[in-house]
Amino acid sequence: RLMSPMSGPLRLPTSPGERSTTTPASVAIPSTTETAASSRRVRRGIATRPSPCPCATGTVWSLTIGHNRTAVYGPAVRLEGEIALVTGSTSGIGKAIATAFATEGARVVVTGRDAERGAAVVAAITGAGGDAAFHAADLSDEAACAQLVSATAERFGGVTVLVNNAVGSTVDETDGPVAQMTTSSWEASLRVNLTAPMWLARAAIPHMIDAGHGSIVNISSRAAERAIPGLASYIASKSGLNSLTR
């Protein structure tokens, strides 16, 4: 059944250039092999637009398949209304995640150690029409992690998405094989890569419960399953993060 999230059932366009409009009647999707395959993808949680699609650009459709499970198809606003905190988002993967989330309609808190880079990311997001703010935080500090989540909630009214992306600097500086590992380097790596995600999740979960939904995304590494020589603390921390996620 094709539904408009805003205004109910949709009418299929009768010509390629015609935009879809709402009508009191619903529209049944033909029972084709392709639609069945698409339905299976939706059940697995992958929102895939059926192809070929008769809808014109800008139309929003959703496919409902039993037990109220719905996948939405249409413009890039899949995260509209969400409030996302992305750690380590002043550069690299975290920056790309924060930017993509904002493009999809989420309000985003950018965080990291470099305020200048953070301000640049926020400026790029807001310049493109998104909504973002920067908040500096030392993720090796328990109180700072809790305050970061509180600042996100105060700025945007809650937290519904947490992305634990930040990685401790020991990966580049003092990590090494076990025989050469110092206790301070080991603890510093695990504190940012494993303990901080727990602190942040612990602080964010009550906000997600209040919102009625939430997502926690932990960015891991294939090194957690396939060890790399000379990165003992990083590998251990990412393996621990995988277990924490499970």
Side-chain angles (χ1 to χ4, degrees):
R1 197 180 175 196
L2 293 179
M3 303 288 293
S4 164
M6 298 300 295
S7 42
L10 295 171
R11 179 178 63 83
L12 289 175
T14 56
S15 64
E18 181 186 355
R19 296 178 64 85
S20 297
T21 58
T22 60
T23 69
S26 62
V27 179
I29 300 176
S31 179
T32 63
T33 301
E34 182 175 2
T35 300
S38 176
S39 299
R40 288 193 295 272
R41 288 194 290 271
V42 172
R43 285 197 294 270
R44 291 200 300 269
I46 305 172
T48 305
R49 180 194 296 265
S51 177
C53 178
C55 63
T57 301
T59 303
V60 179
W61 287 359
S62 63
L63 179 61
T64 303
I65 305 175
H67 303 293
N68 297 319
R69 287 178 288 194
T70 303
V72 177
Y73 309 120
V77 288
R78 292 176 295 175
L79 298 179
E80 185 173 2
E82 303 297 339
I83 301 166
L85 169 58
V86 184
T87 68
S89 49
T90 60
S91 64
I93 294 173
K95 176 183 176 181
I97 293 171
T99 302
F101 278 18
T103 300
E104 294 285 355
R107 288 168 286 173
V108 180
V109 167
V110 175
T111 186
R113 293 168 295 179
D114 191 318
E116 184 176 350
R117 290 195 306 189
V121 175
V122 169
I125 290 173
T126 56
D131 194 354
F134 174 75
H135 189 87
D138 177 5
L139 299 185
S140 67
D141 182 81
E142 181 177 2
C145 288
Q147 205 280 325
L148 175 60
V149 174
S150 295
T152 301
E154 290 171 8
R155 176 67 174 80
F156 290 124
V159 180
T160 61
V161 180
L162 168 64
V163 180
N164 287 310
N165 169 73
V167 177
S169 60
T170 55
V171 172
D172 302 318
E173 298 173 2
T174 58
D175 205 347
V178 173
Q180 300 172 19
M181 179 63 57
T182 65
T183 299
S184 60
S185 295
W186 174 267
E187 291 182 344
S189 184
L190 266 67
R191 200 170 180 87
V192 173
N193 300 349
L194 179 57
T195 306
M198 181 277 291
W199 285 333
L200 291 164
R202 184 180 65 189
I205 286 171
H207 295 284
M208 296 177 181
I209 292 173
D210 288 343
H213 69 285
S215 295
I216 296 173
V217 181
N218 294 325
I219 306 299
S220 188
S221 168
R222 68 175 184 173
E225 307 296 337
R226 182 183 296 176
I228 299 173
L231 294 176
S233 65
Y234 175 76
I235 291 165
S237 67
K238 289 301 185 180
S239 296
L241 186 62
N242 284 2
S243 295
L244 176 65
T245 304
R246 297 188 189 101

